Amino acid sequence: MKQAIIAAFAAIIMSSGAYADTIKIGVVGPFSGPFALQGKNFKAGIDAYMAMHGTTIGDDTVEIIYRDLPAADPAQSKALAQELVVKEKVQYLAGFYFTPDAMAVTPILKQANVPLIVMNAATSAIVTKSPLVVRTSFTTWQTSTPIAKVAHDAGVSKVISIVSDYGPGIDAENAFKAGFEKEGGAVVEAIRMPLSTNDFSPIMQRIKDSGAEGVFAFLPSGPTTLGFVKAFNENGLKAGGIKFFAPGDLTQESDLPALGDAALGIQTTFHYAVSHDSPENKAFVKAASKAIGNPAELSFPSVGAFDGMNVIYKMIEATGGEQDAQKAVDAVKGLSWVSPRGPVSIDPESRHITQNIYLREVTKADDGSYYNKEIQTFEKQGDPGLAAVK
């Protein structure tokens, strides 16, 4: 009789949710320093998802634990990830704005039994470093390959390539070169700049001296891209008729007010524009704008984070909240859904996101604001860079 009462009491407690777990997700990103706006967009995307979908999955509660990494620092990235796993007992790692930071974490995933959901870092090779990596952002091969066709179709036959000298920049350089040469064009010179470069005048002179009809550029979004685009205009390259081609990092929405008319007409290819016209995106922008506080600060890392949370929620559902990294990853292979950016899916082989890439042109709206207007769609783009890695 006594045992029956105890069992009944235990059943009541369990049914009341008293034994529900808190599932912790560790998010590493730049929440201070020069790239703090990108981290702010991570948080806005995460907050928007949780506002729209709740903070519980079954009886489990989801908790986000943030760690600040102001600039690329692989050693610190690994240390923060280890602290999140060991001290905070997170079941999922996510975020990671810069490629070197994501790369540094991949060796610890298997032993920690933790998946990594990359919400931004854009080098193709990251997903090859561990079977426990899933990407919900993009790669620079994915966004830079279509712009090569755009440049050729615009009548440009000679281009100079300018990129930041780190993983995504080198990927962007190689992607554009491969695509442009396939179209019959020629890259007359390829320049790689240190990530710390902030004086672009010598680079602009080299563009003038190259004899190129166009420039292809890649720099990580933030202060550097703003400075590069301004230098392009102030040094007379735009006025001189040199055409500007880039992936969308160069014209993120939060930079457009500062760029002003200097950005008008710049064409980029990218996976997301805040102006994307769909019901899903309108709902997302409304929630993310509320989360970020200033809608003008909303840009692409927010959607990588939003979709990253969708993937993590699916993983939690599939594992019943238990910590099983491989089961969690296997559960989202082939997963498809309609994102704020359009239809997407997780490739079952690469664990990278397949998505539309859009040609956008910086345009001025009737109210005087600037936005990226989508003018062409390259549907269901995978990552061409994975073939280069292999």
Side-chain angles (χ1 to χ4, degrees):
M1 184 66 166
K2 185 179 178 181
Q3 287 181 330
I5 293 171
I6 292 171
F9 184 64
I12 291 169
I13 293 174
M14 292 184 72
S15 67
S16 70
Y19 282 89
D21 291 326
T22 296
I23 297 173
K24 297 180 179 180
I25 302 166
V27 177
V28 178
F31 300 104
S32 68
F35 297 95
L37 185 57
Q38 311 305 89
K40 194 173 181 180
N41 269 272
F42 274 171
K43 190 173 188 304
I46 291 166
D47 288 350
Y49 189 87
M50 296 177 79
M52 294 169 71
H53 298 276
T55 59
T56 59
I57 302 172
D59 290 330
D60 299 321
T61 300
V62 176
E63 179 185 350
I64 311 297
I65 300 176
Y66 292 97
R67 289 292 181 268
D68 183 23
L69 190 64
D73 186 338
Q76 181 64 4
S77 177
K78 187 174 182 179
L80 289 173
Q82 287 172 327
E83 179 204 339
L84 285 165
V85 168
V86 175
K87 183 180 177 183
E88 300 292 349
K89 305 286 193 251
V90 301
Q91 286 184 224
Y92 298 88
L93 286 168
F96 298 92
Y97 186 69
F98 289 106
T99 285
D101 300 328
M103 288 282 205
V105 172
T106 57
I108 73 171
L109 299 177
K110 184 177 180 180
Q111 183 178 357
N113 192 26
V114 171
L116 169 60
I117 295 79
V118 176
M119 293 176 170
N120 188 76
T123 299
S124 295
I126 297 171
V127 293
T128 71
K129 299 303 179 183
S130 168
L132 299 178
V133 177
V134 177
R135 193 199 320 262
T136 60
S137 52
F138 62 99
T139 70
T140 44
W141 269 89
Q142 191 177 41
T143 57
S144 299
T145 299
I147 198 69
K149 177 171 173 47
V150 172
H152 176 265
D153 290 350
V156 173
S157 60
K158 294 189 293 181
V159 166
I160 181 170
S161 170
I162 316 285
V163 304
S164 293
D165 191 8
Y166 77 127
I170 294 166
D171 276 5
E173 174 190 290
N174 291 333
F176 181 83
K177 186 173 188 290
F180 196 54
E181 289 180 347
K182 184 178 178 182
E183 296 290 335
V187 176
V188 297
E189 189 175 355
I191 299 171
R192 297 177 182 178
M193 307 173 293
L195 265 173
S196 59
T197 302
N198 54 33
D199 178 9
F200 300 106
S201 297
I203 300 291
M204 297 305 148
Q205 188 58 51
R206 289 181 68 176
I207 294 172
K208 290 177 183 177
D209 295 342
S210 71
E213 303 153 321
V215 58
F216 169 77
F218 172 84
L219 303 89
S221 288
T224 51
T225 57
L226 193 61
F228 187 90
V229 175
K230 283 191 168 184
F232 181 83
N233 288 276
E234 290 169 359
N235 284 271
L237 277 74
K238 183 177 181 180
I242 295 176
K243 295 183 178 179
F244 192 114
F245 304 100
D249 312 74
L250 270 285
T251 61
Q252 69 169 344
E253 282 79 4
S254 53
D255 285 343
L256 293 180
L259 287 170
D261 286 353
L264 285 175
I266 292 180
Q267 292 191 340
T268 60
T269 44
F270 218 37
H271 63 294
Y272 177 66
V274 174
S275 63
H276 182 70
D277 187 13
S278 72
E280 292 80 11
N281 189 49
K282 287 174 183 174
F284 165 71
V285 169
K286 182 179 179 181
S289 294
K290 182 178 179 181
I292 205 167
N294 179 3
E297 292 182 337
L298 198 64
S299 65
F300 67 91
S302 62
V303 82
F306 183 86
D307 286 333
M309 289 302 294
N310 183 58
V311 165
I312 293 171
Y313 271 45
K314 297 297 184 188
M315 289 176 165
I316 294 170
E317 289 173 3
T319 56
E322 298 300 315
Q323 186 161 358
D324 187 332
Q326 192 60 61
K327 184 177 180 180
V329 170
D330 288 344
V332 299
K333 291 178 179 179
L335 180 68
S336 61
W337 70 99
V338 180
S339 158
R341 67 187 99 174
V344 300
S345 62
I346 300 299
D347 183 273
E349 298 298 323
S350 68
R351 292 158 280 108
H352 169 69
I353 195 164
T354 298
Q355 60 193 326
N356 292 343
I357 301 297
Y358 305 96
L359 173 62
R360 310 100 49 81
E361 183 170 297
V362 178
T363 306
K364 186 181 276 190
D366 293 339
D367 64 1
S369 63
Y370 303 88
Y371 70 103
N372 287 300
K373 181 181 180 181
E374 293 176 354
I375 56 178
Q376 186 179 348
T377 302
F378 298 86
E379 294 184 345
K380 294 181 180 178
Q381 300 294 300
D383 181 18
L386 287 169
V389 172
K390 294 172 183 177

